[in-house]
Amino acid sequence: MRAELFPRTVISMQVAAVLLLVVTASGCKTEKDPDQPTILGIPPTTAYLGVEYYYNFGAYGGEDILDYTLTNTPSWLALEDTSNKARQGIIMRGVPGLTGGARGDADLGKLTGINLVSTDGQMAGAQPFDIEVKYNALSLEAETFTEGVSPTIPDTRRERCELPDLETKGEHSFTINTYDDNGDVSGTRDLTLPTRPVFAKVILDRPSVTRVAVAFELTSDYDASSCDPGITGPHQRCDHSQANAGDAIPGQDIVALGSASDPLLEDLPYLTYEADNTGVYTGGVITFEPGITECYIRLEVVDDSFPEPTESARLDLTEVRSGLAGLGETNGGVRTTLVIDDNEPTVSLETMHGGTRDTLNVGGSRTYVARLTGERDGTIRAKLGHSEDSSARLGTEFSTTLPNDELEFLEGTDEVRFTVNIADSASYSNPGPDDRFILLSLNSVFQLGRENYARAASESMLRVSINELTSPLITNPGGDFVATDMAVGHAGRMFVAGYDSADNDRVLVRLFDQKGDLLQGLEVSAPGDQLSAPEPVISLAKRQVTKNNIKSDRFELVVAYSTDAEANGTTGLGGKDVVSSLYWYDETSNAGEYVETWTTRTGTAGDDVVRWAGINSASGFVVIAGETDGEWPEQKSAGGVDSFLQRIDSLADGNGFIAELAWTRQAGSSANDEVAGGDAEGISPLLFGSAQGAVNGESSLGGQDAYFYATASGDGSLTVNQRGTGADEHVTSGVVEGSTLWLLGNGSNKYTVTQVEEENEEEEGSLSLTSTPISSESGFVLGYTIGGDVVRAFNLNDEGDASTEQFAALTGFSGDLVAAGLTDGDFTGSASTSGSSSAIIARMSLVPEAEPDEESDVFRNRWRYQLNAGDSEITRLANYRDDEIVALTRQGSKWVILLFSPEGVLLTP
């Protein structure tokens, strides 16, 4: 039955009258009153169009069988038989949009104050509630499709339609344009290609009591008339313009039903297809039978032979043809993006060693390899080209030996070798300060829309830097300049610090560009200063600063040296002091030079020797690390020579800046400790070195140990990590890469990092460092977390363990490490030894090693090089753009800069 609708005022009066009668009657009784009729349960507050709404109320109380009435109820909702004698209670049900007059969407909305009233004729109880009627929402889901691959339909708990057959291939025919080498349309070609069935899942939120039919359509933003600037159609750069990049073409890349698929694919009773005005099936209707909530739109992806980027189309549910359902929760429409990955084979470009970075000299050439991966039929081509970000252009700064710069992979061939030639110095031009570089990839603009071409494995597959400094750069032509430190700064500038032994050891910094030309000779100490081998150190930083609300990059240089004499206008504090100068790059000064910002002198009553200096790129403070046999203010000497770490701030002073010593920290053992370097990044500067005693109360491990500590201003406390083994670990350099501190040193041991087994097999054990004596002195690199946990160890020994290697320089390079020094024998296994020392350099790969039972094709760029020159050594290393390793090298009395490629080729022979 259906309850009548009454005004709310009338309803309240009715309920009040019944309750008044109950109260009056109860006043005449002396026995226990019966319970007032009470309705149990709270009905659902949401109903859906076309979906049965049902609730079974319970009740108790009253002196007789209860009768029930709905008041203020919607027309679609009613109570079942109210004279149920089996138990107290009542069932309420209805179908919004259907029952009570089939009002459809008119039943949408929220109705409040509905009342279910129960009475035994004398007493009454009521249960008020609200109901909001919503659309039974349709939605779409689709996974990424791949050409040539049919997906599988996952299991579901929903009641679903018959599963479509996705294994049987379909077929589709269409016409394409063909192009000449310039991209002009040269004709057309009819293609008939196989298709792979795929599916989009359509979900009806609730099971409907009636059949629901909804229309769908494939669409895309593709527009063949959207040409690239300066191009008019018909043209390849209209059909495949930048505006159309990533847009799938309905009718070519994807169809609802292939033109020849009807006899090949099974008919699905719930799915019909409809053609557009060109006769291509791009839409249709999907029908949900009552009770079904999941159905599938079977589509077809065309398996073509065009190299394409990942493309996308849209699938829309456009209208409900029959039944009650909503296109989404608000009936505003349902759309999903269909993503299609290409399956054409891919080409990767590599060096002959498997790398992806290289450097060639102007006028040089080298052979590289192209590798084809993936399934293919017949001959596959790939046209080489430079990517958009490449500063060197194919056909101008470089060329290849391939006809039309096109790779051709014949049937059964997956590898093609080719040569890159750099233009010679007579025709090569580069007015910029930085070296040009090639980002070699495939010419995708040419390949788009052309059959049987391969895709690029990445946008820039092979980087080749072009080096213009092709012979050693002599930094001391007169032989009097002694180089002590080196760094590479902005625009490839090479900074070489040292002192002039013929001019009272005057501190100088010489700046060279990437072509080897001298840009600036920076005179750090004043003329007439009487210095003695001051051993200056330098560091560079690129900082982003804000002035007048304008952000800009500022390039900074710090130079620090030790002296016991008056220097650069400063007076001695007792013993050797540290003189530090900060310079900022001024592009307006003499076509761009570094100009002094401030100079300061710090020290104790003893000797203070600077070993390293740095600039924090975020805040700009200067960090000095060194050794002292004195005692810094508020610090305590441990005896012998201690380490010290200090921070110097730049404070504004009128139109300039002055230096202010923020703090100094001192730590050491009772012996003479050594400092090898530091790091200025982060809020806590870092110092590292080696010591023979217990540093700051840490446990000595025996012999010479590595140690490191970091500190901020705070309370001045230090946490020293003293690490190593029972052998001697003499640390000479180091570098922080990410969260790992890598320490370079020398000793007579082989180092191994092993995992300590835990008693609980499920817990991963910690790592432990051990050393084993060897016959000769060699180098090592030990990796630690900043917290002191060992990570990894590298050994730098000659193969025969017969010669002595001494390593002095370490740098990070392209995610790896490079170390350098000298040897008195054959470090590489193929060097000709002359009986005197010669410079050596080695690259270590930080790519994790594969387990013994695992195969890995990960490229590990490991190499060694030994200079074919006696009485030579490399003392400093720097990194230029991950393209070149810059090495400050002593050859006899000459100090030269040598350059090495990422794969260990000497670029300055």
Side-chain angles (χ1 to χ4, degrees):
M1 62 170 286
R2 184 178 78 80
E4 298 295 328
L5 298 178
F6 299 97
R8 299 188 71 169
T9 304
V10 176
I11 296 168
S12 301
M13 293 176 62
Q14 290 175 335
V15 174
V18 173
L19 294 176
L20 181 61
L21 290 172
V22 172
V23 172
T24 303
S26 63
C28 302
K29 296 186 178 180
T30 59
E31 60 189 45
K32 182 180 180 301
D33 294 336
D35 291 331
Q36 182 176 329
T38 302
I39 297 172
L40 301 176
I42 301 175
T45 59
T46 304
Y48 299 89
L49 284 180
V51 179
E52 184 181 43
Y53 180 92
Y54 170 92
Y55 193 74
N56 188 350
F57 286 100
Y60 71 89
E63 293 184 331
D64 202 350
I65 298 296
L66 297 177
D67 289 326
Y68 303 89
T69 305
L70 275 175
T71 62
N72 195 31
T73 181
S75 61
W76 57 267
L77 186 62
L79 298 175
E80 289 191 346
D81 183 8
T82 59
S83 58
N84 183 4
K85 305 298 188 295
R87 63 173 180 83
Q88 298 280 42
I90 191 66
I91 294 175
M92 177 176 66
R93 72 170 74 234
V95 180
L98 289 180
T99 57
R103 288 158 36 91
D105 288 4
D107 282 339
L108 289 168
K110 185 172 184 178
L111 185 62
T112 60
I114 306 171
N115 281 282
L116 175 61
V117 180
S118 64
T119 178
D120 61 357
Q122 299 183 57
M123 295 183 293
Q127 173 68 60
F129 59 95
D130 304 332
I131 297 178
E132 182 178 8
V133 178
K134 298 181 179 181
Y135 285 105
N136 189 12
L138 289 156
S139 61
L140 280 170
E141 294 179 9
E143 298 179 354
T144 298
F145 306 145
T146 301
E147 290 182 3
V149 177
S150 291
T152 57
I153 300 176
D155 291 334
T156 179
R157 294 183 178 181
R158 299 186 184 96
E159 290 294 324
R160 62 183 179 182
C161 297
E162 176 186 344
L163 297 182
D165 174 19
L166 301 180
E167 297 298 324
T168 304
K169 295 181 182 180
E171 200 171 76
H172 183 63
S173 298
F174 56 97
T175 301
I176 62 167
N177 289 329
T178 57
Y179 314 104
D180 62 18
D181 288 346
N182 296 321
D184 293 317
V185 175
S186 59
T188 60
R189 183 178 177 189
D190 295 329
L191 298 178
T192 298
L193 298 176
T195 64
R196 283 284 190 171
V198 295
F199 74 95
K201 186 188 300 182
V202 188
I203 296 174
L204 186 61
D205 189 37
R206 308 280 170 152
S208 177
V209 300
T210 64
R211 181 182 290 119
V212 174
V214 59
F216 62 88
E217 183 181 11
L218 284 171
T219 60
S220 170
D221 288 332
Y222 178 82
D223 182 0
S225 65
S226 295
C227 303
D228 285 340
I231 303 295
T232 56
H235 196 277
Q236 180 189 21
R237 292 176 64 184
C238 297
D239 297 342
H240 304 281
S241 65
Q242 293 180 3
N244 288 324
D247 292 331
I249 307 175
Q252 290 190 18
D253 295 308
I254 186 169
V255 291
L257 180 68
S259 57
S261 294
D262 194 27
L264 301 176
L265 303 181
E266 64 174 343
D267 288 331
L268 296 171
Y270 57 86
L271 194 61
T272 59
Y273 295 98
E274 297 174 351
D276 60 16
N277 54 11
T278 66
V280 177
Y281 290 100
T282 57
V285 176
I286 186 169
T287 302
F288 287 79
E289 294 297 329
I292 298 295
T293 58
E294 181 173 308
C295 281
Y296 310 98
I297 299 175
R298 186 186 61 204
L299 308 169
E300 297 175 50
V301 172
V302 179
D303 190 7
D304 58 37
S305 59
F306 306 111
E308 299 163 320
T310 295
E311 296 178 321
S312 63
R314 294 188 298 269
L315 180 63
D316 294 293
L317 299 183
T318 58
E319 65 172 324
V320 176
R321 297 274 179 91
S322 66
L324 293 173
L327 299 179
E329 293 182 355
T330 62
N331 201 33
V334 177
R335 169 177 292 176
T336 191
T337 299
L338 306 178
V339 179
I340 306 171
D341 286 339
D342 195 30
N343 69 335
E344 297 311 306
T346 60
V347 168
S348 60
L349 307 178
E350 302 172 354
T351 68
M352 295 301 294
H353 297 291
T356 58
R357 296 182 83 103
D358 200 11
T359 299
L360 289 177
N361 286 342
V362 169
S365 64
R366 190 159 296 146
T367 298
Y368 299 98
V369 61
R371 304 185 192 279
L372 186 70
T373 304
E375 297 182 3
R376 47 81 172 259
D377 292 323
T379 297
I380 297 295
R381 294 176 172 80
K383 190 174 182 65
L384 293 179
H386 56 263
S387 70
E388 182 179 352
D389 294 330
S390 178
S391 61
R393 306 295 172 181
L394 179 60
T396 304
E397 285 80 28
F398 74 102
S399 61
T400 74
T401 54
L402 295 168
N404 299 318
D405 300 314
E406 196 163 273
L407 299 162
E408 187 177 47
F409 297 90
L410 300 176
E411 185 76 34
T413 301
D414 295 330
E415 181 179 304
V416 173
R417 297 185 179 186
F418 63 97
T419 300
V420 169
N421 299 313
I422 308 299
D424 59 29
S425 57
S427 58
Y428 184 85
S429 174
N430 178 24
D434 270 310
D435 285 346
R436 292 185 185 271
F437 56 89
I438 303 166
L439 296 179
L440 192 60
S441 186
L442 300 186
N443 189 340
S444 59
V445 174
F446 176 87
Q447 294 189 161
L448 285 172
R450 301 178 190 266
E451 290 189 281
N452 300 314
Y453 277 82
R455 294 177 294 137
S458 62
E459 183 177 351
S460 300
M461 296 186 290
L462 179 65
R463 179 184 172 109
V464 180
S465 183
I466 302 176
N467 173 51
E468 297 179 67
L469 178 61
T470 58
S471 60
L473 173 59
I474 301 175
T475 67
N476 61 341
D480 297 325
F481 178 74
V482 179
T484 59
D485 204 358
M486 183 262 299
V488 173
H490 73 285
R493 286 173 169 80
M494 295 175 285
F495 296 68
V496 181
Y499 57 90
D500 188 347
S501 61
D503 187 13
N504 298 318
D505 289 350
R506 188 177 187 185
V507 176
L508 306 172
V509 178
R510 293 178 172 173
L511 281 69
F512 302 90
D513 65 14
Q514 277 294 304
K515 300 174 178 62
D517 297 326
L518 181 65
L519 297 175
Q520 183 181 0
L522 195 60
E523 298 173 339
V524 178
S525 61
D529 289 347
Q530 303 296 313
L531 307 181
S532 177
E535 300 283 334
V537 295
I538 60 174
S539 185
L540 305 168
K542 174 184 175 181
R543 300 188 55 231
Q544 189 174 82
V545 296
T546 302
K547 185 177 182 180
N548 298 327
N549 294 322
I550 299 175
K551 290 184 178 180
S552 61
D553 291 332
R554 186 165 70 205
F555 304 99
E556 302 185 6
L557 161 70
V558 63
V559 186
Y561 59 95
S562 294
T563 183
D564 57 2
E566 294 185 2
N568 206 19
T570 64
T571 303
L573 303 172
K576 288 184 177 181
D577 304 320
V578 179
V579 179
S580 305
S581 297
L582 181 67
Y583 296 83
W584 291 352
Y585 181 70
D586 183 359
E587 60 184 8
T588 65
S589 173
N590 195 21
E593 289 187 338
Y594 279 82
V595 179
E596 181 180 342
T597 300
W598 52 251
T599 294
T600 189
R601 185 166 185 150
T602 56
T604 68
D607 285 336
D608 310 298
V609 180
V610 61
R611 297 300 186 192
W612 176 89
I615 304 173
N616 181 275
S617 59
S619 301
F621 58 76
V622 170
V623 179
I624 302 294
E627 301 160 0
T628 182
D629 61 7
E631 189 169 275
W632 289 90
E634 301 180 6
Q635 301 295 298
K636 185 177 181 181
S637 172
V641 175
D642 294 344
S643 66
F644 73 88
L645 184 67
Q646 66 183 201
R647 167 177 160 171
I648 303 173
D649 294 338
S650 298
L651 301 183
D653 181 36
N655 293 326
F657 287 82
I658 59 173
E660 181 179 78
L661 179 61
W663 49 255
T664 303
R665 301 289 179 262
Q666 184 172 344
S669 68
S670 59
N672 292 334
D673 305 334
E674 298 180 13
V675 173
D679 184 79
E681 296 307 312
I683 60 173
S684 300
L686 177 75
L687 176 149
F688 52 82
S690 49
Q692 287 189 332
V695 181
N696 240 38
E698 288 289 296
S699 298
S700 176
L701 303 175
Q704 201 169 22
D705 300 333
Y707 73 92
F708 52 93
Y709 60 83
T711 181
S713 48
D715 59 2
S717 61
L718 294 176
T719 300
V720 176
N721 291 289
Q722 190 161 349
R723 296 294 184 266
T725 66
D728 285 332
E729 286 85 36
H730 178 216
V731 177
T732 59
S733 184
V735 64
V736 175
E737 291 289 302
S739 60
T740 303
L741 169 63
W742 298 97
L743 298 176
L744 173 71
N746 299 300
S748 301
N749 292 271
K750 179 180 179 180
Y751 292 89
T752 306
V753 175
T754 57
Q755 191 165 352
V756 179
E757 294 185 2
E758 299 287 344
E759 294 183 3
N760 186 348
E761 295 181 357
E762 296 182 357
E763 295 183 2
E764 186 176 342
S766 59
L767 298 178
S768 174
L769 176 69
T770 58
S771 62
T772 305
I774 56 177
S775 301
S776 64
E777 189 170 347
S778 64
F780 61 80
V781 177
L782 305 179
Y784 290 93
T785 66
I786 302 302
D789 296 326
V790 68
V791 175
R792 196 170 177 185
F794 295 92
N795 295 286
L796 297 166
N797 192 15
D798 62 286
E799 186 175 347
D801 191 16
S803 59
T804 295
E805 281 78 43
Q806 291 285 336
F807 284 86
L810 183 70
T811 187
F813 187 83
S814 192
D816 289 342
L817 298 174
V818 178
L822 61 87
T823 183
D824 64 2
D826 181 7
F827 176 63
T828 63
S830 59
S832 57
T833 57
S834 61
S836 63
S837 63
S838 57
I840 55 176
I841 184 170
R843 179 170 177 174
M844 294 151 283
S845 173
L846 295 185
V847 175
E849 298 284 356
E851 296 295 330
D853 58 346
E854 292 181 355
E855 292 186 3
S856 175
D857 58 359
V858 176
F859 174 64
R860 295 180 178 86
N861 197 352
R862 295 177 290 203
W863 48 261
R864 294 182 173 192
Y865 185 91
Q866 184 167 339
L867 197 65
N868 187 22
D871 191 19
S872 62
E873 62 177 321
I874 296 175
T875 61
R876 292 291 189 271
L877 292 173
N879 178 355
Y880 174 54
R881 290 190 326 197
D882 284 342
D883 288 325
E884 295 170 1
I885 302 158
V886 185
L888 179 62
T889 308
R890 183 189 61 80
Q891 294 181 347
S893 61
K894 293 182 179 180
W895 285 94
V896 301
I897 287 179
L898 303 180
L899 304 179
F900 294 87
S901 78
E903 296 195 342
V905 175
L906 179 63
L907 301 170
T908 50

